[in-house]
């Protein structure tokens, strides 16, 4: 019965995200996690310290943030069993974990700006979504970067938190968000965070290992449902899923690139320095504005397929036990 209740709560949380997206002007748990990380960084990160100190300080920060997140959400989860108020709080927190609506909204915003022909505004809006330099991007580069972001975030914004929610309820899902937020804030390979964020980056790689691979296959299935090139999606997924410095980032990108006949990767600029990223996919055609819309449809379909897949597995386990 507990597993069936969990499935119902997750479906409610997913539907709330589809309707409302990230809550506006209301306390968001990820913002709280971010403030804790920032406070911990101020206390622990000493710029003049050696690499060994920074590495162990980063481990302490990670363990502290993850432990606090797991402990607090466990209290809420246990309290929800005896109080309807805490049940509502639990569902609210579960709803904030998903990013289906917000990913679609951000992608559509860039799409609409480009459709109006305002490339300067598109560059500015994109800069809020990606860490790469956007000042000199042309339309095709903006489209490519937007699609890469949507594809990659289908893993850590949708499938991964859903995977952990079905596995361990709110506490495990929110713990994953803490791990992912730590990586996004301190997991950079620059002088400041190279040692301090190394542990957080590695933990994030481990946490996303299984969800990234599941997402790759889900996107292939989504492409088949949407009547895109699912055969090429599977081909490129298998061939190019490791064409990235991260062990997980290319899986979703490869499946999307194959489905839409585009090529991700190539030259990109980070903090004023240009780099050539490995290519993902075959350049069957140039990027087109409508590819953003297609990518969003794939993201929606993959998210729903993951919800159905995980629900069937959990309900099946419930009846077998």
């Amino acid at each position: 019965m507990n597993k069936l209740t969990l499935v119902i709560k997750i479906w409610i949380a997913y539907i709330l995200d589809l309707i409302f997206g990230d809550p506006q002007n209301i306390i968001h748990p990820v913002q709280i996690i971010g403030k804790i990380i920032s406070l911990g960084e101020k206390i622990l990160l000493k710029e003049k310290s050696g690499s060994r100190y920074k590495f162990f300080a980063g481990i302490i920060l990670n363990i502290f943030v993850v432990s606090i997140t797991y402990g607090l959400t466990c209290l809420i989860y246990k309290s929800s069993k005896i109080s309807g108020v805490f049940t509502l709080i639990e569902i609210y927190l579960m709803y904030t974990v998903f990013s289906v609506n917000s990913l679609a909204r951000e992608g559509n915003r860039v799409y609409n700006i480009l459709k109006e022909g305002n490339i300067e505004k598109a560059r500015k809006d994109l800069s809020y979504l990606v860490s790469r330099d956007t000042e000199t991007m042309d339309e095709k580069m903006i489209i490519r970067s937007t699609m890469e972001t949507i594809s990659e975030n289908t893993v850590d914004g949708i499938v991964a938190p859903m995977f952990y929610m079905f596995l361990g309820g709110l506490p495990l899902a929110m713990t994953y968000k803490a791990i992912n937020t730590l990586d996004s804030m301190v997991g950079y390979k620059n002088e400041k965070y190279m040692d301090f964020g190394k542990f957080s980056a590695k933990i994030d790689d481990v946490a996303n290992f299984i969800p990234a691979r599941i997402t790759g296959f889900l996107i292939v299935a989504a492409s088949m449902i949407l009547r895109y090139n699912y055969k090429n999606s599977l081909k490129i997924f298998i061939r190019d899923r490791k064409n990235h410095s991260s062990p997980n980032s290319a899986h979703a990108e490869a499946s999307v690139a194959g489905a839409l006949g585009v090529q991700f990767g190539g030259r990109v600029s980070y903090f004023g320095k240009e780099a050539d990223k490995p290519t993902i996919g075959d350049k069957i055609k140039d990027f087109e504005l409508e590819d953003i819309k297609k990518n969003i449809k794939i993201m929606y379909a993959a998210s729903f397929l993951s919800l159905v897949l995980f629900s069937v597995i959990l309900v099946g386990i419930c009846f077998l036990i």
Side-chain angles (χ1 to χ4, degrees), residues 283-299:
K283 190 177 179 181
I284 297 173
K285 67 178 189 64
D286 284 329
F287 286 100
E288 300 169 356
L289 188 55
E290 291 304 314
D291 288 331
I292 295 178
K293 286 285 191 181
K294 291 176 182 178
N295 200 162
I296 291 171
K297 288 180 182 178
I298 290 173
M299 180 270 294

Side-chain angles (χ1 to χ4, degrees), residues 26-314:
I26 304 176
I27 295 175
H28 197 295
V30 173
Q31 292 176 333
I32 297 173
I33 292 169
K35 290 183 182 297
I36 295 171
I37 294 169
S38 295
L39 179 61
E41 180 184 334
K42 287 180 181 178
I43 296 170
L44 293 168
L45 181 56
K46 311 297 182 183
E47 294 291 345
K48 295 181 180 180
S49 299
S51 59
R52 181 174 293 183
Y53 169 85
K54 289 181 179 178
F55 177 69
F56 283 107
I59 293 176
I60 292 170
L61 175 67
N62 189 283
I63 293 173
F64 176 75
V65 172
V66 169
S67 299
I68 287 290
T69 303
Y70 183 77
L72 288 176
T73 48
C74 267
L75 285 175
I76 294 169
Y77 169 72
K78 290 177 180 179
S79 299
S80 70
K81 294 181 179 180
I82 56 175
S83 169
V85 173
F86 278 97
T87 298
L88 292 176
I89 294 172
E90 180 190 13
I91 292 174
Y92 167 75
L93 292 175
M94 293 169 85
Y95 140 63
T96 64
V97 165
F98 298 128
S99 303
V100 184
N101 183 295
S102 61
L103 269 178
R105 185 173 63 244
E106 296 301 331
N108 280 320
R109 179 179 291 131
V110 175
Y111 170 88
N112 289 327
I113 293 170
L114 285 176
K115 197 167 184 179
E116 292 170 359
N118 194 339
I119 195 163
E120 288 296 330
K121 192 173 188 305
R123 288 170 180 161
K124 185 176 181 180
D125 272 51
L126 181 62
S127 69
Y128 301 136
L129 304 178
V130 299
S131 57
R132 65 192 67 178
D133 301 327
T134 63
E135 294 86 356
T136 60
M137 285 186 177
D138 60 17
E139 181 175 321
K140 285 182 171 52
M141 288 185 71
I142 293 172
I143 294 170
R144 188 191 86 188
S145 297
T146 302
M147 292 174 65
E148 286 175 341
T149 299
I150 294 170
S151 302
E152 186 175 344
N153 281 282
T154 300
V155 178
D156 54 22
I158 303 170
V159 178
M162 189 181 293
F163 172 80
Y164 287 108
M165 196 176 290
F166 274 97
L167 202 61
L170 173 66
L172 203 56
M174 198 59 73
T175 298
Y176 168 79
K177 293 302 288 186
I179 289 170
N180 192 243
T181 305
L182 278 157
D183 178 61
S184 67
M185 291 182 68
V186 303
Y188 295 103
K189 293 180 180 179
N190 56 26
E191 186 178 350
K192 182 178 181 180
Y193 293 117
M194 179 65 73
D195 298 303
F196 186 70
K198 184 181 292 184
F199 184 78
S200 292
K202 291 297 181 185
I203 294 298
D204 185 72
D205 286 344
V206 172
N208 280 309
F209 188 85
I210 294 174
R213 285 144 185 82
I214 293 173
T215 305
F217 284 110
L218 288 171
I219 289 174
V220 174
S223 301
M224 181 171 62
I225 292 171
L226 294 168
R227 296 185 178 181
Y228 298 147
N229 195 340
Y230 71 91
K231 291 182 180 178
N232 196 50
S233 178
L234 179 60
K235 170 191 166 185
I236 300 301
F237 168 62
I238 293 171
R239 191 191 74 188
D240 293 349
R241 60 195 175 89
K242 296 182 179 180
N243 287 6
H244 203 286
S245 57
S246 163
N248 304 313
S249 294
H251 289 71
E253 289 184 24
S255 296
V256 171
L260 301 181
V262 296
Q263 187 177 75
F264 292 141
R267 179 145 296 199
V268 66
S269 175
Y270 291 99
F271 309 108
K273 295 182 179 179
E274 289 197 343
D276 286 310
K277 297 173 67 175
T279 57
I280 299 171
D282 296 323
K283 190 177 179 181
I284 297 173
K285 67 178 189 64
D286 284 329
F287 286 100
E288 300 169 356
L289 188 55
E290 291 304 314
D291 288 331
I292 295 178
K293 286 285 191 181
K294 291 176 182 178
N295 200 162
I296 291 171
K297 288 180 182 178
I298 290 173
M299 180 270 294
Y300 269 119
S303 74
F304 185 72
L305 285 174
S306 65
L307 181 66
V308 172
L309 174 65
F310 297 149
S311 297
V312 169
I313 291 172
L314 195 60

